[in-house]
Amino acid sequence: MSQPSSFFKNDAGPSFRGSRTDITPGSGATPTPSPLMERFLAAFPTRKIAWRTSQLREAGFGDRHVKLLVATGVLLRMRQGAYLRASYWAGLSTAGRERTVIFMHSYGTNSTSAAGFVYSHSSAARIHGLHLWQADTLIHVTQSNKPSSVGSDDQTCIHTVTLPSSDITMVGQTHVTTLERTVVDCCLTMPYKRALILTDHALRMGASLDILQEAADQLSRHRGVRNLRRVLAQQMRSRNPPARR
């Protein structure tokens, strides 16, 4: 079973602490970075690592101040309207950064409640912690309705499919396809060797080979199903090698 990312462990708690104190530059002058950084660090608990623009404004940090916090290396702008504490990003591994980019997409768009996104394909694989070899770095989301402009950009691939509830799970605060559905989606869209590596890891993490085989049987002539069946056949042979004569 997938474990919640440190993103969710660290980003618990209130958006800001203490009373609201606006930062208002005098006479149009740009505030110097040091007092601004001190005020920012004092305004938020250390475990708070991610913010939407609305949360920063609520705490008294306007657009000019946010730009300065980004310029001085306190915040990172991860996408429009979503910011991350730079020191948290600096401590992440490559895999951790890839997962955090996905979580920040969810956080920035508030997709778990508003847009109805379910993270799928290679994005779901990253969230589950599966081994990926030469996989794309697009953010893959699946939703039942026609894609809108919310959360959509050149780094996002939206798949329009109605997912049954049995194919959806939660990791932290993010809706994501289950381990088995993630394997199926990846095998349908990835080259054989990449799909085989991912599937092998998923099975070692507890994915059900029976559920995967049932899904393959139901897909009939779906594009990529031959690749999926080939991967599953190889896994069956690996787990049930022929007896020696």
Side-chain angles (χ1 to χ4, degrees), residues 179-193:
L179 206 53
E180 289 83 6
R181 177 62 190 240
T182 300
V183 169
V184 170
D185 286 339
C186 288
C187 286
L188 293 175
T189 55
M190 287 182 174
Y192 172 73
K193 288 185 178 179

Side-chain angles (χ1 to χ4, degrees), residues 10-18 43-51 55 58-59 85 107:
N10 284 280
D11 200 49
S15 296
F16 66 95
R17 63 186 178 195
F44 298 98
T46 55
R47 68 182 181 275
K48 178 70 177 170
I49 61 169
W51 295 264
Q55 293 173 318
E58 183 184 0
R85 194 184 291 268
Y107 190 80

